[in-house]
């Protein structure tokens, strides 16, 4: 087995790779070589920063077409992380509107700057730190992870998927239930950073390594 972390120049590539190496004896590579990506048995699509830059770099490295093909075929497990989750949707509000990969119907929206919690206290944007994730459907990647477990987040934009059947986890920030875990077929994607989320994050990565969709 080879796990390929897709290197298009964005995301915590080495942190993700090291976390995967910690939970498996399988070969983990960071690569932008289309042949190695196509030959891998599992794929990780990371992302960090502005989605405009992520989509731009995916185009510059000429990997967009390959990623779209792999998503369409669903022939091997793929894990999206952070902006790697947001890129799977149709469209992002960022920078006046950014077309994304369109694998799942829905939008990436910005948290309002005037959000408050249930006590009326102002909430910061970006949403940064630990927050609980409520699981909405059973999934092999949730195996061994408690309901309402805490994961680590850093984001100003959040996913709002159209199909509830694709929403596998939410996080409540202010009065917004952000769709922070989405899945369809052999693809599972999360807004939080499993590589920074201690035991629960490592367990999710371990589940990904053994997942057989």
């Amino acid at each position: 087995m080879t796990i390929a972390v897709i290197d298009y120049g964005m995301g915590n590539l080495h942190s993700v790779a090291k976390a995967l190496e910690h939970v498996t004896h399988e070969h983990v590579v960071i690569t932008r070589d289309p042949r190695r990506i196509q030959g891998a048995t599992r794929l990780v699509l990371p992302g960090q920063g502005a989605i405009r830059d992520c989509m731009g770099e995916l185009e510059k490295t000429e990997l967009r077409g390959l990623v779209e093909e792999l998503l369409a075929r669903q022939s091997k497990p793929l894990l999206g992380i952070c902006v790697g989750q947001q890129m799977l949707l149709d469209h992002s509000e960022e920078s006046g509107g950014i077309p994304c990969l369109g694998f799942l119907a829905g939008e990436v929206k910005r948290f309002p700057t005037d959000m408050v919690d249930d006590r009326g206290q102002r909430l910061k944007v970006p949403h940064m730190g630990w927050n609980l994730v409520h699981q909405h459907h059973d999934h092999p990647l949730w195996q061994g992870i408690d309901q309402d477990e805490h994961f680590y987040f850093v984001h100003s934009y959040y996913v709002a998927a159209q199909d509830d059947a694709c929403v596998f986890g939410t996080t409540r920030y202010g009065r917004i239930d952000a769709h922070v875990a989405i899945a369809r077929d052999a693809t599972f994607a999360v807004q939080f950073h499993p590589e920074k989320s201690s035991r629960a994050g490592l367990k999710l990565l371990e589940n990904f390594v053994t997942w057989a969709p």
Side-chain angles (χ1 to χ4, degrees):
M1 180 191 297
T2 299
I3 303 169
V5 180
I6 300 173
D7 176 13
Y8 61 98
M10 305 293 291
N12 286 337
L13 304 173
H14 294 283
S15 296
V16 171
K18 285 185 178 298
L20 285 164
E21 289 170 350
H22 183 77
V23 300
T24 183
H25 297 296
E26 307 299 342
H27 188 43
V28 180
V29 297
I30 299 171
T31 182
R32 62 179 58 188
D33 183 341
R35 291 171 299 178
R36 299 191 77 182
I37 294 170
Q38 288 176 318
T41 47
R42 296 175 192 276
L43 303 170
V44 178
L45 180 65
Q48 186 170 291
I51 197 168
R52 174 188 58 195
D53 296 335
C54 288
M55 292 301 301
E57 290 301 313
L58 201 62
E59 294 276 5
K60 286 180 185 177
T61 54
E62 299 182 349
L63 289 174
R64 176 171 180 162
L66 175 57
V67 171
E68 289 178 330
E69 177 188 340
L70 292 165
L71 287 169
R73 285 164 46 192
Q74 290 295 290
S75 59
K76 59 190 73 181
L78 182 146
L79 176 65
I81 297 176
C82 194
V83 179
Q85 182 213 27
Q86 296 179 11
M87 292 165 70
L88 300 180
L89 278 292
D90 289 322
H91 180 267
S92 174
E93 290 183 346
E94 185 182 321
S95 302
I98 301 292
C100 300
L101 296 173
F103 174 67
L104 288 173
E107 272 199 293
V108 181
K109 301 182 177 183
R110 195 181 197 284
F111 284 120
T113 56
D114 58 351
M115 284 200 309
V116 295
D117 62 19
D118 292 337
R119 297 171 296 176
Q121 299 295 313
R122 176 67 66 90
L123 292 171
K124 293 181 179 180
V125 177
H127 170 212
M128 183 180 299
W130 295 85
N131 205 347
L132 62 83
V133 172
H134 187 77
Q135 302 167 24
H136 284 259
H137 306 293
D138 289 336
H139 193 281
L141 266 68
W142 290 139
Q143 184 176 354
I145 299 174
D146 292 339
Q147 179 66 284
D148 297 331
E149 181 62 87
H150 285 76
F151 291 85
Y152 188 79
F153 291 86
V154 182
H155 61 131
S156 299
Y157 292 80
Y158 67 95
V159 163
Q162 285 186 13
D163 186 355
D164 289 341
C166 295
V167 178
F168 281 75
T170 58
T171 283
R172 189 162 183 81
Y173 195 57
R175 295 180 175 88
I176 292 173
D177 289 316
H179 297 165
V180 298
I182 55 176
R184 193 181 86 194
D185 301 328
T187 295
F188 192 95
V190 296
Q191 177 66 62
F192 54 81
H193 288 272
E195 76 280 7
K196 297 181 179 180
S197 295
S198 191
R199 185 205 66 83
L202 291 177
K203 181 60 178 173
L204 187 139
L205 293 177
E206 180 184 330
N207 291 340
F208 171 68
V209 170
T210 59
W211 181 29

